[in-house]
Amino acid sequence: QVQVVESGGGLVQAGGSLRLSCTVAGLTFDDYAMGWFRQAPGKEREGVSCITWNSGATYYGDSVKGRFTISRDNAKNTVYLQMNSLKSEDTAMYYCAAGRCYYSLKPDDFGYWGQGTQVTVSS
């Protein structure tokens, strides 16, 4: 059974930083690209970032470029999302997923999902 577990969300003031973590069990971690997505109430799920299995390529959504950084540690089966200069519009549930990483950041390219971690940015 595959388990994808996110952590690190919380409440932060605008301009602050958070680091999300996602640990995966039940699959061969370095066989999969990993991605972060987010969904705000009433909005569609949005691709935030993804990283290939060997960290050879990373992609970011336009709204987070230059502020967020994705990384992974295959020895720990963990992927991270460092979020800096947070804005109120970054408020959302953040999901981690395992699958295939392309510049298009489509949810359909990811097959294994976590339950999400809430990020709230106060202005």
Side-chain angles (χ1 to χ4, degrees):
Q1 184 179 357
V2 178
Q3 290 185 315
V4 180
V5 181
E6 304 95 337
S7 61
L11 175 63
V12 63
Q13 289 189 334
S17 298
L18 279 176
R19 189 176 83 152
L20 305 183
S21 298
C22 169
T23 301
V24 181
L27 53 74
T28 304
F29 186 70
D30 54 9
D31 278 350
Y32 289 84
M34 296 298 299
W36 286 98
F37 295 79
R38 66 186 183 186
Q39 189 166 18
K43 294 189 176 182
E44 291 187 354
R45 191 163 293 191
E46 173 191 13
V48 174
S49 182
C50 67
I51 185 168
T52 54
W53 70 274
N54 62 350
S55 304
T58 57
Y59 301 103
Y60 296 91
D62 288 342
S63 60
V64 306
K65 282 179 183 176
R67 300 188 298 123
F68 291 10
T69 302
I70 192 170
S71 61
R72 66 188 290 163
D73 185 339
N74 286 352
K76 295 182 178 180
N77 282 16
T78 300
V79 61
Y80 305 97
L81 186 68
Q82 178 67 44
M83 305 186 295
N84 298 329
S85 302
L86 283 161
K87 307 175 182 180
S88 58
E89 50 262 46
D90 294 318
T91 295
M93 185 70 78
Y94 282 71
Y95 298 91
C96 175
R100 300 178 181 179
C101 174
Y102 303 109
Y103 73 91
S104 55
L105 288 166
K106 292 181 179 178
D108 287 348
D109 289 325
F110 292 80
Y112 299 101
W113 291 81
Q115 295 298 308
T117 186
Q118 178 68 37
V119 172
T120 302
V121 183
S122 61
S123 56

